[in-house]
Amino acid sequence: MPNDLSPTARALRALGILQARPGTTAGELAVRLDVTERAARRYVAILREAGIPVQSARGPHGGYRLGRGTRLPPVHFTQPEALGLVMAVLDGRSVAADDLVGSALEKVVNALPESVGQQAALLRAYASAAPDPYSVRPEPAVTGQLVEAVAARRRVWVTYCSEAGNEWEAAVDPWSIVVRHGRWYLLCHSHRADAVRSYRVDRVRAVRPTGQEFRPPEGLDPVAVLEENLGLGWQYPTHVVFDAPATEVAPWIQPPMGRLEPRGNGCALIGSTRNPTMYAQEWLARVPLAFRIEGGQELRTAVAALGARLTAAAVADQP
């Protein structure tokens, strides 16, 4: 942090820290402001003199926090923060001016001082993002209800519509919301299946609270559990065997393809899929290693059809 900031500027930085991290101690505030603890307490005093109720508490769970109902000044962005915000939005999706994210971003950029927002406005106006054909954005209201249930650790009933159009209800313990490659997933324990499940949030039609609490697994890594779960529970089983060791095969395997298990000098890929043709053409065909299908007649048929089509294409122009 620059050392030539005025006391007012440092006090505003302190305010931003307390907004983002309630319970910050004087020592932590001093480190983030690059000042002594005595100076950090002085900046807190400046905020209090300005009428901002900064509360303090002692003990292991103490620290500074802003009083409830505080009327705060507008959020302040630095130029790199403003650019980073626009870049993150464009990186995640194609933004139209008339959608929710596009209109919100437009308001943020327009509200920035010219010295801070000029580059962000230019980036917003002249940079474009190609739409992701696989990205699906769920309903904000449904997403909000699920996030609240995750935070409160309360079981909910969800009305879900499968890809085939079948609609059903299930009581679930919502562990986490995970965004993966443009798709939003609810990672949960489904009482309907009595198993871990990952449901597409865009297919959740309704959420109904139950009032029952739950405890998520200790040390839960939502992303890792989702990745492991994506390759399980689909309609068609898959069992693919490689003569190469798992360490050589693993870089070519995506989690939804299944789980790699050692097998002699090679390894086996065990999973399931809802689309054997896609599994064969988009996933297995990209693996530059010999393999054979030992389980899953649907996958074996799809691989055979792909091989016949490629063979026919290779000999089409020969006499």
Side-chain angles (χ1 to χ4, degrees), residues 63-316:
Y64 294 116
R65 62 184 66 245
L66 300 176
R68 295 186 62 181
T70 303
R71 297 187 63 182
L72 299 176
V75 176
H76 295 276
F77 288 98
T78 64
Q79 188 175 79
E81 287 173 338
L83 282 171
L85 177 64
V86 178
M87 291 171 67
V89 173
L90 290 176
D91 186 55
R93 57 176 284 148
S94 175
V95 178
D98 58 349
D99 70 9
L100 288 175
V101 176
S103 61
L105 182 62
E106 198 77 25
K107 291 177 182 179
V108 171
V109 171
N110 289 338
L112 296 172
E114 185 175 356
S115 60
V116 174
Q118 184 177 17
Q119 289 187 357
L122 290 173
L123 180 64
R124 172 72 179 92
Y126 293 103
S128 301
D132 183 350
Y134 301 104
S135 176
V136 182
R137 188 161 297 273
E139 284 292 330
V142 169
T143 307
Q145 290 176 298
L146 291 174
V147 169
E148 287 182 0
V150 171
R153 297 183 176 182
R154 292 189 179 277
R155 186 174 302 164
V156 294
W157 281 92
V158 295
T159 303
Y160 193 79
C161 184
S162 69
E163 186 178 20
N166 300 319
E167 192 169 291
W168 41 263
E169 282 194 340
V172 302
D173 296 342
W175 292 349
S176 183
I177 299 292
V178 182
V179 183
R180 181 184 184 276
H181 301 323
R183 289 186 175 178
W184 294 59
Y185 294 90
L186 170 66
L187 180 66
C188 63
H189 175 84
S190 169
H191 293 273
R192 180 175 187 263
D194 193 23
V196 179
R197 287 290 184 263
S198 51
Y199 296 136
R200 289 262 299 274
V201 178
D202 61 284
R203 294 179 183 160
V204 176
R205 298 292 179 257
V207 179
R208 181 161 47 89
T210 68
Q212 295 176 273
E213 296 184 351
F214 70 89
R215 185 183 297 274
E218 292 291 336
L220 174 68
D221 183 338
V223 175
V225 175
L226 176 74
E227 294 282 8
E228 180 180 346
N229 186 256
L230 284 176
L232 304 175
W234 297 104
Q235 181 177 1
Y236 303 110
T238 60
H239 188 165
V240 184
V241 175
F242 298 86
D243 292 330
T247 53
E248 190 175 340
V249 177
W252 301 97
I253 302 301
Q254 303 178 46
M257 295 174 69
R259 180 180 65 255
L260 273 179
E261 297 181 352
R263 177 169 173 173
N265 295 325
C267 61
L269 175 62
I270 300 172
S272 62
T273 181
R274 63 177 176 80
N275 189 334
T277 299
M278 180 274 296
Y279 195 103
Q281 294 182 2
E282 298 186 17
W283 289 346
L284 281 182
R286 298 176 60 186
V287 180
L289 300 167
F291 62 84
R292 60 185 180 276
I293 311 298
E294 287 200 355
Q297 182 57 46
E298 295 81 7
L299 179 60
R300 183 179 286 112
T301 300
V303 170
L306 174 61
R309 181 164 64 85
L310 295 179
T311 299
V315 301

